[in-house]
Amino acid sequence: MISVPKSGEPPPHAGPENVLYRSRTEIGRIMQMLAEGGCAVSSKLGNNHQFVSHLLAVNLTTGHFFIAYSENKLLNSTLFARPVVEFTTSYQTAHFAFQAANPSASLHEGQPA
């Protein structure tokens, strides 16, 4: 069932569509929320290959984020070889896309990331 608002009133629970966040603070807040939820992330790596893992943590001070390794070693290597990687995820009813420049192997809480 769809409720039609009265003329001039916004629909209930209406949110902006296709919002583009540019504020570092707002992006950091959203990414921290995604990391706390252990959100799955994916990235198309060409030739029908898809890297799939989950967001581990965000460091707002350095501007870095950590993603767990995929179970596929070849896809991990392919991801690290790219100069820029675009990740996508969905949370509740929103879809997020974010880029990482020069991805590299690291450790997060003693685990490869």
Side-chain angles (χ1 to χ4, degrees):
M1 181 170 106
I2 299 174
S3 298
V4 178
K6 295 178 184 175
S7 179
E9 290 181 10
H13 307 293
E17 293 183 22
N18 298 321
V19 175
L20 178 61
Y21 293 102
R22 293 181 187 258
S23 160
R24 182 180 175 116
T25 302
E26 185 66 12
I27 292 168
R29 184 188 67 76
I30 292 168
M31 290 191 68
Q32 280 187 319
M33 175 190 65
L34 296 172
E36 288 169 4
C39 282
V41 294
S42 64
S43 179
K44 292 181 182 178
L45 298 177
N47 296 328
N48 297 322
H49 289 94
Q50 181 118 354
F51 174 91
V52 178
S53 188
H54 62 279
L55 190 58
L56 295 171
V58 177
N59 184 325
L60 296 177
T61 304
T62 65
H64 294 98
F65 58 90
F66 298 89
I67 293 178
Y69 269 61
S70 165
E71 292 184 16
N72 185 313
K73 289 183 181 184
L74 177 61
L75 291 178
N76 292 327
S77 297
T78 302
L79 182 124
F80 290 138
R82 293 179 159 253
V84 176
V85 179
E86 181 173 285
F87 292 100
T88 59
T89 188
S90 294
Y91 182 77
Q92 296 179 353
T93 61
H95 180 77
F96 298 95
F98 51 96
Q99 293 183 339
N102 304 312
S104 61
S106 186
L107 291 176
H108 174 69
E109 296 183 352
Q111 297 297 317

